[in-house]
């Protein structure tokens, strides 16, 4: 080669890292070698005691003409550390071939905590997966089928009211159980998607699924959690076909309670709520009848395909109509308690708690959509109640907001009513019969704490509600961790006695009487109580995770928050 040819700029291919250096004795055939392969005649020098003499396996020695001993392991890979490697003597810039050991997960904790911890880590820092093929074939199940099963499981969880973070944790657990560790699930209010990329040089596989129908069935939710728990258990080998079969059985299972039981539970919930706000026996039965009529009308509208907004509007009219009828008949009862009880049966507490929880955990799109749904439901309730209140005011019904101040504490009766309310709420949520007793007791504890703080300690209702809801979240999380299940069946029904039904009613009543300022004050109080419930439940859940055993190292990095910055 002439000097002119030697001075010509070489191509990018000639300067590639895959071209062996001159003098190594390797021919130009690149099909049988790699940048990580050790050239013939070379051996990795042994590490001495000093840091300056330490040489990485990726750096060729300076002297190439020194005869070396034959390589002991010709099939070695760059992803296996050499036999002479010592972690204490490694250079500062050395990265372990197996990844950065940032966290060590234990297997004796719920899969929700393990998967949530890994989801909050970058993909490159997640612990390496121990591949365990649970299919009959050696190569494992097909990636698209695993992703489809994952999306179907996530759809059932999201449609059942589960939070976005827990849905992502369940989806990641399913993928990881079938050997797909480089997965990124994404959950919004109506769309689920997941992407899997085996390596940086392979094409990613992405699948998505839309959630079009939502139903409240906590029995089905518990069955899906049990399926995910079995898939996450390393000692239980469930093939993909078996998982599809169990998922189909979960979808085909009927609700544990028939329709007439749900209607009776709706009336029982309204009657119990009317007793909480000062109603007597007549008010109790009037609230029961009004709520049952509203429930049947809502079922009729749902059968005709009307949106939920109109279902809530229609369901809110019978309790308000019965309360106004009692006021017009001059019956010596608290008509406002009848209307308040009907509102308790309609307030979307489950969606409110889920929306605030998504916002606190960093899923702002899903949180915004859930809270917007709650607002639409509440507006539907407002329209139905306001129409009836306006008619009652025009007819001369005596309904005064001052009646809210005459509520006297009746501890034993109110605790019993709160437990009965939680029981009816659990039936409406289609919970398993084994969880009804626990959530009933949890609701009684919540009202006891609220009554002790508000009536005896004279704390503000917002602070009392937040503390009571925090205990509900704490006990619900403890029970869910004990049974390795979702916390929703233990918390949602227990917050029923704390819902701001009376504040919502008196706000609407003030607006119907043209006292807009007082109405806004009452509605603001209702919104504050609702936020106190949601934040209290989430705070109780986080406190349980703070003091109980958490997977990973005992450092702050073991459980990274969804957002680590302070607003910037």
């Amino acid at each position: 080669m002439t000097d002119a040819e030697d001075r010509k700029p070489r191509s990018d291919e000639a300067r590639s890292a895959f071209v062996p250096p001159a003098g190594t004795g390797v021919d130009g055939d690149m099909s049988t070698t790699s940048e990580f392969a050790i050239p013939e005649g070379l051996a990795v020098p042994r590490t001495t005691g000093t840091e300056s003499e330490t040489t990485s396996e990726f750096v060729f020695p300076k002297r190439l003409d020194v005869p070396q001993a034959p390589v002991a392991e010709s099939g070695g890979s760059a992803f296996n550390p050499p036999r002479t490697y010592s972690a204490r003597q490694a250079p500062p810039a050395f990265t372990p071939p197996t990844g950065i050991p940032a966290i060590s997960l234990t297997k004796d904790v719920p899969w929700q905590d393990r998967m949530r911890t890994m989801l909050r880590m970058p993909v490159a820092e997640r612990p390496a997966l121990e591949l365990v093929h649970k299919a009959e074939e050696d190569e494992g199940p097909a990636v698209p089928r695993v992703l489809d099963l994952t999306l179907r499981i996530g759809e059932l969880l999201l449609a059942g009211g589960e939070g976005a973070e827990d849905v992502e944790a369940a989806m990641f657990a399913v993928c990881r159980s079938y050997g797909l560790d480089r997965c990124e699930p994404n959950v919004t209010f109506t769309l689920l998607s997941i992407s899997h990329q085996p390596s940086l040089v392979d094409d990613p596989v992405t699948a998505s699924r839309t959630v079009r129908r939502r139903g409240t069935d906590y029995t089905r939710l518990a069955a899906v959690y049990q399926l995910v728990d079995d898939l996450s258990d390393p000692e239980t080998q469930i093939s993909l076909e078996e998982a599809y079969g169990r998922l189909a059985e979960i979808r085909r299972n009927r609700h544990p309670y028939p329709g007439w039981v749900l209607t009776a539970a709706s009336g029982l919930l309204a009657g119990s709520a009317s007793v909480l706000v000062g109603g007597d026996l007549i008010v109790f039965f009037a609230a029961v009848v009004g709520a049952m009529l509203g429930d049947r009308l809502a079922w009729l509208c749902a059968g005709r395909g009307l949106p939920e907004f109109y279902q809530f509007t229609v369901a809110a009219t019978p309790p308000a109509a019965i309360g106004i009828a009692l006021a017009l008949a001059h019956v010596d009862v608290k008509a406002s308690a009848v209307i308040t009880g009907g509102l308790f049966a309609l307030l979307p507490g489950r969606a409110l708690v889920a929306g605030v929880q998504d916002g606190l955990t960093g899923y702002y799109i899903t949180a915004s959509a859930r809270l917007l749904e709650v607002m639409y439901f509440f507006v539907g309730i407002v329209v139905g109640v306001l129409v009836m209140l306006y008619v009652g005011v025009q007819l001369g019904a005596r309904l005064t907001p001052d009646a809210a101040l005459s509520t006297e504490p009746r501890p034993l009766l109110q605790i019993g009513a709160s437990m009965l309310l939680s029981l009816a709420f659990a039936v409406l949520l289609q919970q398993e019969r084994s969880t009804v007793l626990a959530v009933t007791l949890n609701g009684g504890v919540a009202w006891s704490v609220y009554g002790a703080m508000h009536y005896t300690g004279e704390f503000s209702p917002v602070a009392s509600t937040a503390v009571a809801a925090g205990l509900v979240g704490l006990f619900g999380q403890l029970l869910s961790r004990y049974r390795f299940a979702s916390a929703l069946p233990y918390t949602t029904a227990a917050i029923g006695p704390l819902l701001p039904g009376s504040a919502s009613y008196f706000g609407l009543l003030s607006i119907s009487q043209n006292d807009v300022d007082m109405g806004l004050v009452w509605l603001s109080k209702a919104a504050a109580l609702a936020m106190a419930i949601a934040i209290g439940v989430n705070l109780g859940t986080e406190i349980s995770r703070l003091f109980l055993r958490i997977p990973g190292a005992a450092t702050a990095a073991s459980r990274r928050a969804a957002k680590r910055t302070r607003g910037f």
Side-chain angles (χ1 to χ4, degrees):
M1 181 181 298
T2 62
D3 295 340
E5 294 177 349
D6 187 54
R7 289 192 299 269
K8 290 181 179 180
R10 296 181 180 271
S11 63
D12 292 338
E13 181 180 1
R15 292 194 298 266
S16 175
F18 297 94
V19 178
T24 58
V26 182
D27 53 10
D29 188 9
M30 298 301 297
S31 61
T32 60
T33 185
S34 169
E35 65 174 310
F36 303 111
I38 303 176
E40 297 180 0
L42 294 180
V44 179
R46 298 184 179 273
T47 306
T48 59
T50 60
E51 182 180 354
S52 60
E53 296 177 0
T54 304
T55 306
S56 173
E57 60 176 325
F58 303 110
V59 181
F60 294 115
K62 297 180 180 180
R63 297 183 59 186
L64 301 178
D65 56 347
V66 178
Q68 304 289 345
V71 181
E73 298 179 0
S74 58
S77 170
F79 299 98
N80 295 326
R83 294 180 302 174
T84 58
Y85 168 73
S86 176
R88 296 182 178 180
Q89 300 174 358
F94 180 78
T95 302
T98 56
I100 302 175
I103 190 172
S104 175
L105 296 178
T106 58
K107 297 182 179 180
D108 56 348
V109 294
W111 59 265
Q112 298 98 314
D113 289 338
R114 290 188 280 122
M115 297 302 109
R116 187 184 296 109
T117 303
M118 284 188 287
L119 278 175
R120 293 182 175 184
M121 300 171 57
V123 178
E125 297 182 11
R126 292 174 183 171
L129 177 66
E130 298 178 3
L131 296 179
V132 178
H133 298 293
K134 298 187 178 182
E136 297 179 357
E137 302 178 357
D138 294 335
E139 63 273 10
V143 173
R145 296 200 65 195
V146 174
L147 298 184
D148 178 72
L149 175 67
T150 302
L151 291 173
R152 291 178 183 272
I153 290 177
E155 177 189 8
L156 286 180
L157 293 176
L158 187 63
E162 191 61 83
E165 186 180 27
D166 293 326
V167 175
E168 284 195 358
M171 294 172 64
F172 188 74
V174 175
C175 289
R176 192 172 176 86
S177 64
Y178 287 104
L180 307 183
D181 57 335
R182 296 179 62 90
C183 291
E184 287 294 337
N186 187 22
V187 176
T188 59
F189 186 60
T190 58
L191 182 64
L192 299 169
S193 63
I194 188 168
S195 178
H196 168 66
Q197 188 175 14
S199 64
L200 296 177
V201 297
D202 294 327
D203 295 332
V205 179
T206 304
S208 62
R209 192 173 182 87
T210 303
V211 180
R212 302 188 183 278
R213 296 187 60 185
R214 300 179 184 274
T216 304
D217 190 345
Y218 281 2
T219 301
R220 180 180 297 175
L221 186 69
V224 176
Y225 258 79
Q226 184 61 45
L227 175 59
V228 178
D229 184 50
D230 294 340
L231 291 174
S232 303
D233 189 0
E235 299 179 357
T236 303
Q237 296 185 1
I238 301 177
S239 65
L240 197 63
E241 299 301 330
E242 293 176 353
Y244 266 110
R246 290 182 57 176
L247 190 61
E249 293 179 0
I250 293 173
R251 286 180 174 273
R252 286 195 300 264
N253 283 344
R254 294 184 177 180
H255 300 303
Y257 307 104
W260 67 270
V261 175
L262 299 180
T263 302
S266 178
L268 191 61
L269 191 154
S272 304
S274 65
V275 175
L276 284 179
V277 294
D280 52 9
L281 187 61
I282 299 178
V283 171
F284 174 83
F285 284 106
V288 168
V289 174
M292 292 176 65
L293 288 176
D295 183 76
R296 286 292 91 190
L297 289 176
W299 276 96
L300 181 63
C301 294
R304 297 297 184 270
L306 291 179
E308 289 183 304
F309 175 84
Y310 302 105
Q311 297 177 27
F312 275 82
T313 302
V314 172
T317 54
I322 292 178
I324 292 173
L326 291 175
L328 291 175
H330 301 286
V331 180
D332 190 15
V333 295
K334 291 185 177 181
S336 59
V338 179
I339 305 175
T340 301
L343 290 178
F344 266 86
L346 296 175
L347 292 177
R350 173 181 58 89
L352 175 66
V353 172
V356 175
Q357 180 181 358
D358 289 340
L360 294 177
T361 53
Y363 296 85
Y364 302 113
I365 297 178
T366 307
S368 301
R370 288 186 189 272
L371 295 178
L372 184 63
E373 180 189 41
V374 171
M375 187 191 71
Y376 272 104
F377 291 164
F378 189 76
V379 169
I381 298 172
V382 167
V383 171
V385 175
L386 273 181
V387 169
M388 300 308 300
L389 288 179
Y390 181 78
V391 172
V393 170
Q394 296 301 318
L395 294 177
R398 294 182 179 180
L399 300 171
T400 59
D402 296 336
L405 303 178
S406 62
T407 302
E408 297 179 358
R410 297 172 293 177
L412 296 180
L413 186 60
Q414 289 179 334
I415 291 176
S418 64
M419 296 177 65
L420 191 60
L421 190 152
S422 299
L423 173 64
F425 204 171
V427 174
L428 286 175
L429 294 174
Q430 303 280 1
Q431 292 189 195
E432 293 180 299
R433 291 178 173 87
S434 60
T435 64
V436 172
L437 179 59
V439 73
T440 301
L441 296 177
N442 202 5
V445 171
W447 182 261
S448 300
V449 174
Y450 172 81
M453 293 186 62
H454 179 56
Y455 295 113
T456 305
E458 298 183 353
F459 286 88
S460 67
V462 176
S464 304
T465 301
V467 174
L471 289 178
V472 168
L474 178 60
F475 292 156
Q477 188 63 219
L478 293 177
L479 291 172
S480 67
R481 293 173 71 95
Y482 175 74
R483 301 192 61 179
F484 287 82
S486 172
L488 288 181
Y490 301 100
T491 58
T492 305
I495 64 174
L498 304 176
L499 292 176
S502 58
S504 302
Y505 161 69
F506 288 112
L508 300 179
L509 179 60
S510 300
I511 293 177
S512 66
Q513 295 177 343
N514 294 326
D515 192 356
V516 180
D517 295 336
M518 183 58 65
L520 293 179
V521 171
W522 279 108
L523 292 180
S524 300
K525 180 181 178 180
L529 291 174
M531 292 297 295
I533 292 173
I535 296 176
V537 171
N538 181 264
L539 183 60
T541 302
E542 295 297 329
I543 289 176
S544 67
R545 294 171 182 168
L546 180 64
F547 291 100
L548 295 178
R549 185 174 182 181
I550 297 298
T555 60
S558 60
R559 186 177 183 271
R560 299 179 180 178
K563 185 177 181 181
R564 300 177 61 184
T565 60
R566 299 182 180 180
F568 50 86

